[in-house]
Amino acid sequence: MANPTVILLFIFAVRCRGISMWPQPRTMSWPVHSATPLSPSFAISSPYHRYLSVAANRYLKLIKTENYHPLVPQKVNLTNGPSLQTLIITVNNLAAPLTHGVNESYSLSIPMSGNRATLIAETAWGAMRGLETFRQLVWGKPRRVAAGVEVVDWPIYAYRGVMLDTSRNYYDVKDILRTIGAMSANKFNVFHWHITDAESFPVVLPSEPDLAAKGSYGSEFQYSPADISRIIEYGLQHGVRVLPEINAPAHTGSWAGAYPEIVTCSNMFWWPAGSNWADRLASQPGTGHLNPLNPKTYQVMKNVIDDVTEMFPDSFYHAGADEIIPGCWKADPLVQSYLAKNGTLSQLLELFVKSTLPYILSQNRTVVYWEDILLDSNIKVRSSLLPTEHVILHTWGNGPNNTKKVVSSGYRTIVSSSDFYFLDCGHGSFLGNNSQYDQPPFADQGKGGSWCSPFKTWQMIYNYDIAYNLTEEEAKLVLGGEAVLWSELADPEVLDPRLWPRASALAEVLWSGNRDEMGKKRYAAATDRLNEWRYRMVGRGVRAEPIQPRWCINNPGMCNTVHPFT
Amino acid sequence: MASPFVVFLLMFAVPCSAIGVWPQPRYMSWPVHWATSLSPSFTITSPRHPYLSPAVARYLQLIKTEAYYPLTDLTVNLTNGPPLQALIVTVKDLAAPLSHGVNESYSLSIPTSSDKATLSAETAWGAMRGLETFSQLIWGKPSRVAAGVEVSDWPIYAYRGIMLDTSRNFYEVEDILRTIGAMSANKLNVFHWHITDAQSFPIVLPSEPDLAAKGSYGSGMQYSPANISRIVEYGLQHGVRILPEIDAPAHTGSWAGAHPEIVTCANMFWSPSGSAPLAAEPGTGHLNPLNPKTYQVVNNVVDDVTKMFPDPFYHGGADEINPGCWETDPLIQAYLAKNGTLSQLLEMFINSTLSYILSHNRTAVYWEDVLLGANVKVEASLLPPEHVILQTWNNGPNNTKKLVSSGYRTIVSSSDFYYLDCGHGDFIGNDSQYDQPPFTDQGNGGSWCGPFKTWQIIYNHDIAYNLTEEESKLVLGGEVALWSEQADPQVLDARIWPRASALAEALWSGNKDETGKKRYAQATDRLIEWRNRMVRRGIRAEPIQPLWCIKNPGMCNL
């Protein structure tokens, strides 16, 4: 009996019981675990800035009301020094707008003695990152703040995103705002809003009001211009860009309510009985592609682009362009005669891109497309039509192989590999009348009906390296990564648990990486921090999933495995 | 282009936009889709009954406030008759207690030309089932009720349960009450409460208060006797039995806070490097059958639990006995050295505790392991089939067959079909299996029982598969199980609903239509409506399709 016990003590003694941060800062020194009381009159002083000032006020209020008690009591020494009275924020460049690549670095210093902490940032956005870090260093009631702390912090990747699909199912504005708030707490900086798709068109566009009027799920399932500006403003106050996506020319069945004449194959059954998969009209229920041969298509597209770029100030515009399905275009008589004259479907797509891309660029935007536009096996455009200085490709298929293809062709890329970052995977299929589930017992349940199964656990997300197998030069073109929630099987009832804390795993990987100073993957240490962070998020009103029994947190190390996986 | 369209129209004409009921009644006739308005002074009359009367008051309130709008417009004709003024409930046997096998049948009649509907049931519990059906036939504001309806309904299986594990993570009383309420709306009738396990002992037992004081997650995470009686009472008002489980002799690490001397291998690392694991998962500890104190404590526990929980079943657990855990104990080592076996140890434990449970007039439920465990198990002769029910969870229908062919009544919770926690990865820390190069087969994503059990997998499973007619009579019913390693109040509703609804229908009226064909296709549309209605009633159930699918009937089919 004696021997094993000794070994166990040894294993469990290594753990550090300091306050945990998420995402872990790049460099943080807290040599002696001291803490000082936070003065009841604690204040944050910040230079005036339209968004930072709002954020500073918000953080002050949150710090004074949060009441977070770590699940594992903190082993800290209370200093004899004065209580902390102020956090002084200094920003070098108050004019820097929130845009891709903006400097998000900050340094935070909370002295052991002295009543002032300082937060210095290059930009207002970096200061917001530092405010979150500061907030995570405050706990308890009466409130304590870690003291003798120096943090110098900046992100590895400039693009750190979460995508939400509001077309398959609708989300209320408050759900989106709550998500943006949680993103900011995780130091995410891009909310990629997949607004429209075949199923519904929820955004009300002033120049094309019928698209929502006839394409949304109903008047209570729409985003008004006022909703949009509220969301964008909220994003700015949280340092989160709002990147709109209007997916076209596929995934546009919902446009047919307003403009049946510009949508091919609309309102048809997606995969007609007796036909091959290659002859499907859409990859899932909800058919319809914009018709590149109808001049009206471009008139509508221009109005949409005008409105969207007016409503969304972000310098990126996501134009979709994934999953063009041959059968849908081929259902159209105009297209049929075009093909009969030796035209190709790829030429049709090129026509569409040539007629829309320059218009988006003319609005001073960088365009993001899904990778399909270049890599699709059937219908794609030549890379000469996609100038690398203006186009970013968003990868989702085939893991690191497609990332490699895209960057080695000279494109900047955002990585949303479905093998790692698709948060909807692993919950089966939504198709009706599906006999695959009616199997005798002991039939292999396979992937449980989900095409991208299994469920992407936080650990899978955490361990994935988006620059895998790239040269140093290629890796520079990887702007960052994005976790994606498609909403066939999600809506407001499950939004929080689908996103959190799995997106938090991505947030840390993209901010400070998944390795410790020795270069070792730090998933073991991350478990305990993520547990604390998950509970802290729940306390802040985000219904994040639990990742372990509470017992594991109360008994550090006891839920580990010491058997390497083989 | 023309001919495919014709085909489509033909396909889409079939869905019937009548009001859906979940679970589908055994027999329901509504030949013409009439509806009548519900009078503002509508009332329900019923005989006085301590539990039916509160249920009637509750349903009256629900009916008057729900204002449910179906996702698809109902094509109904309004009658010219009077608005419905009353539902008259009659019950033949008001004395029948809520217990296994109680008659739950009812018949409901809503005429087109009278202002009174009638609900007659054999028992108060059947009347509650009928009240739920009646509530589902009402919609809109002003409220309409389907008219010209005759329902005659009774369950296929007597035991229709949900298990919730409140030990791995704690749930508030309100979470449990909400779950019981939703169960009742789905005509489920047993809340199997896996109260304690290795991780925490949240129930405060008056005779053994230290078990919770030293074994719970803290004073804010305990169930007091007052909480328990509130839950039991709430169950009775909803026609839902509360079946308590105190798992023993394994899964008892949490008992060691109060009584370290009766727990072997407590507080040890679960899977030491280089030797056999001491538990199936983190959280070690087994009650020691050789320590007389063990029986003193277990008897106190059985006394208190049977006093607090009136249900005639008592779940004694007895799953996953781990040889390594008992073998760490010096007493047991000496016993084994004298040619004793671990199975004999378990027999000793069962012998002593089972008779004590039976002496409280209970039927004991054990997990199948007690008979089928690969290493440690007891002789069937020690488990009298008239007093013991075995709950199966492994090996699909094979274990069900083994149990019933040995003469045991069984409750089916096959992990291949009914484990609601599966498919969300693993919770073990420091787990290198997730650190793999890209393109490695991700397998089941680290979940031992992956994939996720979709509502369709649950719906299609037949718990009497491959049994003779005689054997299938021993299948009391089924139960979905939510183990809580990766669940807690934040995700409770979404993990359980609407997947447990799929079970509810399969056990109540089956998964086949009148022609014997599996009805999963038409069940989809009813389940979407029902999910939506549950959400409106405050249950955060998962969506099963985009809203587009119910708005475009048939278009999301395969």
Side-chain angles (χ1 to χ4, degrees), chain B residues 75 251 533:
Chain B
T75 39
H251 294 278
R533 193 159 194 165

Side-chain angles (χ1 to χ4, degrees), chain A residues 353-405:
Chain A
V353 168
K354 276 192 270 191
S355 312
T356 50
L357 176 58
Y359 195 73
I360 304 170
L361 298 181
S362 76
Q363 317 271 337
N364 230 346
R365 293 294 189 277
T366 297
V367 178
V368 186
Y369 287 117
W370 293 103
E371 64 182 8
D372 313 42
I373 197 168
L374 186 72
L375 304 182
D376 188 85
S377 50
N378 294 310
I379 307 178
K380 57 189 166 190
V381 310
R382 283 162 295 163
S383 69
S384 58
L385 293 176
L386 303 168
T388 53
E389 66 275 28
H390 295 305
V391 169
I392 294 168
L393 296 180
H394 194 165
T395 175
W396 63 283
N398 210 12
N401 283 2
N402 280 6
T403 309
K404 180 100 181 168
K405 278 189 193 169

Side-chain angles (χ1 to χ4, degrees), chain B residues 529-544:
Chain B
E529 280 284 1
W530 178 232
R531 180 265 172 178
N532 189 53
R533 193 159 194 165
M534 284 195 287
V535 169
R536 298 289 165 263
R537 290 182 180 185
I539 307 296
R540 301 178 71 100
E542 284 192 329
I544 64 167

Side-chain angles (χ1 to χ4, degrees), chain B residues 151-347:
Chain B
V151 177
S152 182
D153 204 12
W154 68 100
I156 296 178
Y157 288 103
Y159 186 108
R160 305 179 307 279
I162 289 182
M163 191 212 79
L164 181 65
D165 158 16
T166 60
S167 174
R168 271 60 180 248
N169 279 312
F170 181 80
Y171 295 81
E172 301 288 345
V173 171
E174 67 182 69
D175 298 313
I176 293 175
L177 298 184
R178 189 175 67 256
T179 301
I180 291 171
M183 288 177 67
S184 175
N186 283 277
K187 296 187 171 65
L188 293 169
N189 65 358
V190 185
F191 177 71
H192 167 189
W193 188 356
H194 185 87
I195 311 177
T196 65
D197 208 295
Q199 287 75 14
S200 77
F201 197 104
I203 183 173
V204 178
L205 298 177
S207 314
E208 290 286 349
D210 277 0
L211 285 171
K214 298 180 180 173
S216 74
Y217 280 137
S219 56
M221 290 183 271
Q222 296 176 352
Y223 304 106
S224 68
N227 293 153
I228 303 290
S229 46
R230 186 163 167 225
I231 290 167
V232 169
E233 184 78 5
Y234 196 88
L236 286 163
Q237 291 170 357
H238 287 78
V240 175
R241 299 160 52 198
I242 313 295
L243 165 57
E245 176 184 355
I246 304 291
D247 200 352
H251 294 278
T252 48
S254 59
W255 303 38
H259 300 293
E261 69 279 20
I262 67 170
V263 183
T264 68
C265 98
N267 299 313
M268 292 177 71
F269 186 67
W270 71 288
S271 181
S273 196
S275 61
L278 300 175
E281 69 181 67
T284 54
H286 284 19
L287 296 184
N288 190 338
L290 294 178
N291 188 333
K293 180 79 185 289
T294 294
Y295 303 105
Q296 198 181 314
V297 175
V298 170
N299 288 356
N300 284 339
V301 167
V302 171
D303 284 343
D304 282 2
V305 170
T306 52
K307 207 173 285 177
M308 295 162 101
F309 294 89
D311 200 79
F313 287 8
Y314 176 101
H315 203 306
D319 58 323
E320 298 188 316
I321 311 288
N322 187 296
C325 182
W326 269 345
E327 287 166 357
T328 60
D329 180 72
L331 270 182
I332 292 175
Q333 286 164 5
Y335 177 86
L336 298 175
K338 291 178 200 144
N339 296 322
T341 68
L342 293 172
S343 286
Q344 285 167 347
L345 275 182
L346 180 59
E347 291 184 343

Side-chain angles (χ1 to χ4, degrees), chain A residues 169 217 270 419 427 430 432 438 445 456 459 491 498 521 534 545 548 550-551 559-561 565, chain B residues 169 217 270 416 424 426-427 429 432 435 442 453 488 495 518 531 542 545 547-548 556-558:
Chain A
N169 280 310
Y217 281 136
W270 69 288
D419 289 334
H427 283 97
F430 70 92
D438 183 21
Q445 294 181 342
K456 308 309 168 193
Q459 301 100 320
D491 75 1
R498 285 284 186 284
K521 289 261 177 99
R534 178 266 169 178
E545 282 192 330
Q548 285 192 326
R550 199 180 172 102
W551 188 86
C559 287
N560 282 353
T561 174
F565 181 76
Chain B
N169 279 312
Y217 280 137
W270 71 288
D416 289 333
H424 282 96
D426 197 9
F427 71 93
S432 60
D435 183 20
Q442 295 180 337
K453 308 311 169 193
D488 75 2
R495 285 284 185 283
K518 288 259 176 101
R531 180 265 172 178
E542 284 192 329
Q545 285 191 327
L547 186 55
W548 189 86
C556 287
N557 282 353
L558 191 61

